[in-house]
Amino acid sequence: MGAEFVALSLPPILIGCLAAIACAIPGNFLLLRRQALIGDAISHVVLPGIVVGFLVTRTVSTWPMMLGAGGAALVAVLLIESIRRAGRLEPGAAMGVVFSTMFAGGVLLLEQSDTSSVHLDVQHALYGNLESLIWLDATGWASLLDAQALAGLPPELPRMAITCLIVTGVTALLWRPLKLSTFDEGFARALGLPVRALSLALVIMAAMAAVAAFDAVGSIIVIAMFICPPAAARLMTDRLAHQVWLSVGFATLSAILGYVLAGYGPLWLGFDNSVSAAGMIATVSGLILALAAGFGPRRAPRSP
């Protein structure tokens, strides 16, 4: 059982946890800035970038697709910020304009170009391929110390680990400026802080996390983890540091519990087949948010 767990379950669980944490950390600041849905926009506007990546390289390998998706995400966040500031629009309105325009452009590009060999379907775009990220070279827990076996790890695992470290490091480095600009933008501007650059850095971090997680876990987990763990944590505390730590805990719990329930929950209920791990992880994160909304100490008061 140990060998099977290390080879078949440990890598997907770790990848799911790292993806959830990488999205939850910037999600806290986006939530407080009322920009939480920017994760939804980023996870969908990568479509034109993926198509362009294929058209340029004529290959369906990971890195061209990732670079194309990353470029599209950066273009999206720059357009959102530019439209929001130039037109003095609400963040939601700016995101809606950019989201619909880029997604429609991606669909048109896909239809008009010779991309019949590109495998863009619901399984990969929405659900990801979390269950298939197995470690074939693992023979047990000893493989964690075997350099030759570690070389056979799914490439999504080190990629998500690096992304998570970068997001965590940048957040720690910019913690105080991000905190000031999030809660009182006018005061931060009066102190001489580069408010616009900080806002751009935040959305770039969110784009990096979304693009890195998109290929491995799909857009369902990306959207859920940007919103549910930070929102649940917000209902538990009024202190930002505690909120971030709680969101990381909720994200990790959602990934682990969701993966286990996806694989074994239907069997416990008498069904023959498992369900999507990404869908179950998002469902668990939503249930945690519902519990926090119902029983959290900072939940909104009920109307009389």
Side-chain angles (χ1 to χ4, degrees), residues 24-51:
I25 291 177
N28 286 280
F29 295 95
L30 293 174
L31 178 75
L32 294 170
R33 291 168 178 250
R34 302 181 183 275
Q35 296 178 336
L37 285 178
I38 199 171
D40 184 17
I42 292 172
S43 64
H44 286 79
V45 299
V46 297
L47 177 60
I50 291 175
V51 178

Side-chain angles (χ1 to χ4, degrees), residues 140-163:
W141 291 104
S143 299
L144 296 174
L145 302 177
D146 186 352
Q148 185 175 358
L150 290 173
L153 279 171
E156 289 82 0
L157 181 54
R159 184 165 68 232
M160 281 311 311
I162 293 172
T163 302

Side-chain angles (χ1 to χ4, degrees), residues 209-235:
V211 170
F214 185 83
D215 179 59
V217 300
S219 62
I220 287 181
I221 295 182
V222 173
I223 296 169
M225 292 306 154
F226 269 120
I227 299 174
C228 291
R234 178 65 186 88
L235 294 170

Side-chain angles (χ1 to χ4, degrees), residues 229-250:
R234 178 65 186 88
L235 294 170
M236 301 299 293
T237 180
D238 284 333
R239 296 180 63 87
L240 181 59
H242 294 170
Q243 176 182 325
V244 172
W245 282 110
L246 280 172
S247 70
V248 170
F250 289 151

Side-chain angles (χ1 to χ4, degrees), residues 5-297:
F5 175 79
V6 173
L8 303 179
S9 298
L10 183 60
I13 289 175
L14 291 177
I15 293 170
C17 289
L18 291 171
I21 293 171
C23 293
I25 291 177
N28 286 280
F29 295 95
L30 293 174
L31 178 75
L32 294 170
R33 291 168 178 250
R34 302 181 183 275
Q35 296 178 336
L37 285 178
I38 199 171
D40 184 17
I42 292 172
S43 64
H44 286 79
V45 299
V46 297
L47 177 60
I50 291 175
V51 178
V52 170
F54 168 77
L55 292 176
V56 171
T57 62
R58 291 293 169 177
T59 178
V60 293
S61 59
T62 299
W63 282 111
M65 299 295 186
M66 289 287 295
L67 291 175
L74 287 178
V75 170
V77 297
L78 290 173
L79 286 175
I80 289 171
E81 284 297 305
S82 299
I83 293 174
R84 184 176 71 88
R85 294 182 180 277
R88 297 182 179 180
L89 298 176
E90 290 292 326
M95 283 185 281
V97 171
V98 175
F99 168 83
S100 57
T101 302
M102 291 193 66
F103 185 75
V107 173
L108 289 174
L109 188 61
L110 187 64
E111 291 293 330
Q112 297 298 321
S113 305
D114 182 19
T115 55
S116 57
S117 61
V118 182
H119 191 52
L120 296 174
D121 55 13
V122 174
Q123 176 66 27
H124 290 81
L126 294 182
Y127 308 146
N129 59 340
L130 192 58
E131 295 89 346
S132 66
L133 302 179
I134 58 178
W135 186 10
L136 296 176
D137 294 339
T139 57
W141 291 104
S143 299
L144 296 174
L145 302 177
D146 186 352
Q148 185 175 358
L150 290 173
L153 279 171
E156 289 82 0
L157 181 54
R159 184 165 68 232
M160 281 311 311
I162 293 172
T163 302
C164 191
L165 285 175
I166 292 175
V167 169
T168 304
V170 173
T171 303
L173 182 65
L174 301 178
W175 176 262
R176 186 172 178 81
L178 277 175
K179 183 178 179 180
L180 288 173
S181 62
T182 297
F183 287 104
D184 196 334
E185 183 175 334
F187 179 64
R189 198 182 301 276
L191 291 177
L193 294 177
V195 174
R196 184 172 300 182
L198 288 170
S199 179
L200 182 59
L202 178 60
V203 291
I204 288 176
M205 275 198 301
M208 181 188 305
V211 170
F214 185 83
D215 179 59
V217 300
S219 62
I220 287 181
I221 295 182
V222 173
I223 296 169
M225 292 306 154
F226 269 120
I227 299 174
C228 291
R234 178 65 186 88
L235 294 170
M236 301 299 293
T237 180
D238 284 333
R239 296 180 63 87
L240 181 59
H242 294 170
Q243 176 182 325
V244 172
W245 282 110
L246 280 172
S247 70
V248 170
F250 289 151
T252 304
L253 178 63
S254 299
I256 297 175
L257 188 58
Y259 187 86
V260 172
L261 290 178
Y264 298 100
L267 301 180
W268 295 337
L269 295 176
F271 296 98
D272 296 329
N273 300 315
S274 61
V275 297
S276 166
M280 184 58 72
I281 291 172
T283 301
V284 172
S285 68
L287 291 175
I288 292 175
L289 175 57
L291 290 174
F295 304 101

